[in-house]
């Protein structure tokens, strides 16, 4: 479990750096006059942006680090720890600026830390690692796919924070699916080798969920409300991952009143912390009329 925690925190740090770079590039593309809802046009423009490509490289490093974490632990351990990427986002935003974290940052960080502490210290709150049930995983996919389609379609009819939140939920569901598929694929590689893995379906589904999550994430960023996008995305991912870990793996769900209470309290604290940190992250990344970062402004 210690290795899983260490790799999870490192992955969260790398994802924070990648998101900062990709958000800046996505907002610049949106400010360039293109329709932010045109996914193909947005991605085509971002692929020519060196800042976005740098973020993509950092994101891929985080992806492989997350894969290592998932190899050593369950999705119910790894995905909640990835919420700390917002804490790292705030810390990265203060480097070189001479500014100290605001009170909102401190309160958000405390809430996230407290939520994770409750989740990881109460016995039975985190289900033990178990073997996957492929029929149940396929059933989870059949539930998630229509939900993503409906929410993504609804986002086209909305603007601003609502659109960003809906697309963030869709991206979070894709990233939760990606985490489960990473675990299946890495286990197959270790246990059965490359040839057997290439002949199995999880690796190909992993590529699809990763690509779709990437597109939805960039559309959520380009929708214009970073707090709404990040809060929805960051919380949907661990909640969906936790549910899949309980329902689609051969493991024991929380069975005691203390464990259920811990999960509930942890969800409330994490959501509150993510909401606070997302709003602060918006300022740290220049959300609003300006697309520059605080460290690039002449005032500091």
């Amino acid at each position: 479990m210690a290795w899983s925690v260490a790799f999870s925190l490192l992955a969260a740090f790398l994802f924070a750096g990648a998101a900062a770079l990709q958000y800046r590039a996505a907002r610049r593309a949106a400010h360039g006059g293109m329709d932010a809802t045109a996914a193909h046009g947005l991605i085509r423009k971002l692929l020519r942006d060196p800042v976005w490509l740098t973020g993509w490289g950092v994101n891929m490093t985080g992806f492989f680090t997350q894969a290592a974490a998932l190899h050593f632990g369950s999705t119910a351990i790894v995905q909640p720890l990835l919420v700390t990427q917002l804490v790292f986002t705030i810390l990265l935003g203060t480097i070189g600026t001479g500014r100290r974290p605001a009170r909102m940052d401190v309160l958000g960080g405390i809430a996230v830390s407290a939520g994770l502490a409750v989740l990881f210290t109460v016995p039975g709150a985190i289900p033990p690692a178990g073997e996957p049930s492929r029929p149940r995983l396929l059933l989870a996919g059949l539930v998630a796919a229509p939900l993503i389609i409906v929410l993504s379609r609804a986002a086209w009819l909305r603007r601003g924070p609502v659109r960003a939140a809906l697309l963030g939920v869709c991206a979070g569901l894709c990233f939760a699916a990606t985490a489960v598929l990473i675990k299946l694929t890495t286990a197959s590689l270790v246990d059965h080798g490359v040839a057997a893995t290439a002949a199995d379906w999880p690796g190909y589904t992993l590529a699809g969920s990763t690509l779709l999550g990437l597109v939805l994430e960039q559309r959520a960023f380009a929708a214009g409300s970073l707090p709404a996008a990040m809060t929805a995305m960051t919380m949907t991912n661990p909640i969906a991952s936790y549910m899949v870990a309980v329902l689609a793996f051969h493991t024991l769900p929380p069975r005691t009143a203390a464990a259920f209470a811990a999960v509930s309290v942890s969800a409330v604290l994490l959501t509150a912390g993510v909401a606070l940190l997302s709003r602060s992250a918006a300022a740290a990344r220049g959300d609003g009329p300006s697309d520059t970062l605080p460290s690039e402004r002449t005032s500091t």
Side-chain angles (χ1 to χ4, degrees), residues 140-156:
L142 291 175
V143 172
L147 182 60
I148 291 172
I149 293 172
V150 170
L151 292 178
S152 179
R153 184 65 180 174
W156 284 78

Side-chain angles (χ1 to χ4, degrees), residues 226-293:
L226 179 62
M230 287 298 291
T231 300
M233 193 185 314
T234 307
M235 286 311 304
T236 300
N237 187 343
I239 290 172
S241 297
Y242 187 95
M243 293 176 64
V244 171
V246 171
L247 300 175
F249 285 74
H250 293 295
T251 186
L252 296 175
R255 292 175 177 269
T256 66
F260 278 110
V263 172
S264 301
V265 171
S266 178
V268 171
L269 288 171
L270 288 173
T271 302
V274 166
L276 289 171
L277 290 172
S278 293
R279 293 190 64 82
S280 185
R285 297 185 196 171
D287 191 22
S290 173
D291 63 350
T292 58
L293 298 174

Side-chain angles (χ1 to χ4, degrees), residues 139-192:
L139 179 61
L142 291 175
V143 172
L147 182 60
I148 291 172
I149 293 172
V150 170
L151 292 178
S152 179
R153 184 65 180 174
W156 284 78
L157 306 176
R158 304 287 183 175
R159 294 191 178 277
V162 176
R163 173 183 287 177
L166 290 172
L167 292 172
V169 169
C170 294
L173 289 172
C174 288
F175 294 147
T178 294
V180 174
L181 293 167
I182 288 173
K183 189 167 182 65
L184 290 180
T185 305
T186 53
S188 179
L189 283 170
V190 172
D191 296 336
H192 305 294

